[in-house]
Amino acid sequence: MQKQKRVAAIHDISCFGRCSLTVALPILSAAGIDTPVIPTAVLSTHTGGFEGYTYRDLTQDILPVVKHWQSLNLSFDAIYTGFLGSFEQVELISEAFDRLKGENALIVVDPVMADDGKLYALFPPNFPEGLRKLCAKADVIVPNLTEAALLLDEPYSAGPHTKEEIGRILRSLHALGPEKVVVTGVSFDGKQLGAASFDAKTGDVAYASAPRIEPMYHGTGDVFASALVAALLQGCTLAQACEAAVRFTVDSIARSKESGTDNRFGVNFEEGLAGLRGIIENARLG
Ligand code: PXL
């Protein structure tokens, strides 16, 4: 049997609303991956559409956790970061990469900071600059189109896009440092929606998509990125991992749409967890 993979997941805990750690932990676990966590903050809900949420910043706890893990000589196959609780955490997470990376941990940065052309209200205007530095240290980054524009310091365009434009964005993001780039929320015709990927190691550009479902559901970026990390660790190429992650995410959205769930509540990925390994295996075998 193959040695069990281990991913350190560094995100906030939004107690209600299915995103960040409450999504990453079950998805990676269901894919058979040991998933130790570092919570960056604890909120009563995510910040997308809820008023009056609580916010406990855990900036001071991050390095003590990292240093304790170091003292235990733990090794990781990947370090996967998402929503960070403060600008100060960018520097700390960068240090956490240096301390925990070891020989060959894959560094995956989801530069969670914006959607729909807007930086989340919680973040200061220099946040993109901080995340740009973190992305430079990553092997894989997973921005949406808004985050891609902020990382590249370019105006945001909602699309639909041409393949040439998406190809240019992928290559510009690669030029920031990461070998592998995935951009989410990409549409070429307004009807299909999905992810575009570029692997500079192979030169492959690929697209994975499915029919667009309205409205936009919260937490889907985290569902997608978590499934992508799971698939990469279980042997998929970047393009295969995108296929698997799109399938898993879209099935989750479709279940929530069918049951009429409030789009702020996140998506029903739970009922897809038993099938996740099958989806990854199918993608891997082409
Ligand atoms: O899904 C991204 C995310 C994660 N964590 C918190 C958020 C959001 C998006 O709004 O508010 C706290």
Side-chain angles (χ1 to χ4, degrees), residues 181-221:
V181 175
V182 177
V183 175
T184 59
V186 171
S187 183
F188 298 115
D189 60 5
K191 296 191 191 96
Q192 293 279 120
L193 185 68
S197 64
F198 173 56
D199 186 340
K201 190 163 181 188
T202 58
D204 287 345
V205 173
Y207 311 101
S209 68
R212 179 195 290 269
I213 302 175
E214 297 283 2
M216 186 277 269
Y217 284 79
H218 282 276
T220 49

Side-chain angles (χ1 to χ4, degrees), residues 12 14 19-20 43 45-48 83 112 120 218-219 222:
D12 71 286
S14 288
C19 66
S20 41
L43 299 82
T45 65
H46 61 70
T47 66
F83 183 97
V112 175
Y120 293 144
H218 282 276
D222 297 330

Side-chain angles (χ1 to χ4, degrees), residues 2-30:
Q2 145 180 232
K3 188 168 170 289
Q4 192 184 20
K5 297 286 167 63
R6 180 184 291 142
V7 176
I10 308 179
H11 308 249
D12 71 286
I13 296 177
S14 288
C15 298
F16 180 80
R18 289 185 287 199
C19 66
S20 41
L21 273 186
T22 67
V23 161
L25 181 54
I27 290 175
L28 288 160
S29 298

Side-chain angles (χ1 to χ4, degrees), residues 102-271:
E103 299 272 290
N104 48 17
L106 190 73
I107 303 284
V108 183
V109 172
D110 184 352
V112 175
M113 61 176 153
D115 210 350
D116 257 342
K118 290 188 292 284
L119 188 68
Y120 293 144
L122 215 60
F123 295 135
N126 62 348
F127 208 69
E129 207 179 293
L131 283 190
R132 196 177 301 132
K133 283 192 202 143
L134 210 57
C135 286
K137 285 188 121 168
D139 300 298
V140 187
I141 63 170
V142 195
N144 60 34
L145 275 168
T146 304
E147 290 155 352
L150 288 168
L151 289 171
L152 297 174
D153 201 14
E154 290 178 357
Y156 164 73
S157 128
H161 292 85
T162 61
K163 289 203 164 165
E164 291 68 32
E165 177 62 0
I166 292 300
R168 185 195 66 74
I169 291 172
L170 289 168
R171 285 182 170 80
S172 303
L173 289 167
H174 161 61
L176 298 179
E179 180 180 75
K180 295 175 170 50
V181 175
V182 177
V183 175
T184 59
V186 171
S187 183
F188 298 115
D189 60 5
K191 296 191 191 96
Q192 293 279 120
L193 185 68
S197 64
F198 173 56
D199 186 340
K201 190 163 181 188
T202 58
D204 287 345
V205 173
Y207 311 101
S209 68
R212 179 195 290 269
I213 302 175
E214 297 283 2
M216 186 277 269
Y217 284 79
H218 282 276
T220 49
D222 297 330
V223 171
F224 175 86
S226 301
L228 181 90
V229 172
L232 285 173
L233 287 193
Q234 300 300 24
C236 285
T237 64
L238 189 65
Q240 292 167 344
C242 285
E243 289 285 349
V246 165
R247 180 80 274 130
F248 183 73
T249 307
V250 170
D251 289 352
S252 304
I253 297 170
R255 279 188 291 270
S256 288
K257 175 83 181 181
E258 198 176 310
S259 60
T261 314
D262 189 319
N263 70 324
R264 298 172 302 168
F265 291 9
V267 291
N268 178 352
F269 68 88
E270 295 89 345
E271 289 181 276

Side-chain angles (χ1 to χ4, degrees), residues 63 84 86-98 130 133-134 137:
L63 274 189
L84 303 183
S86 66
F87 186 81
E88 202 188 338
Q89 286 188 8
V90 173
E91 209 42 58
L92 297 177
I93 299 302
S94 177
E95 184 173 345
F97 289 165
D98 297 338
K133 283 192 202 143
L134 210 57
K137 285 188 121 168

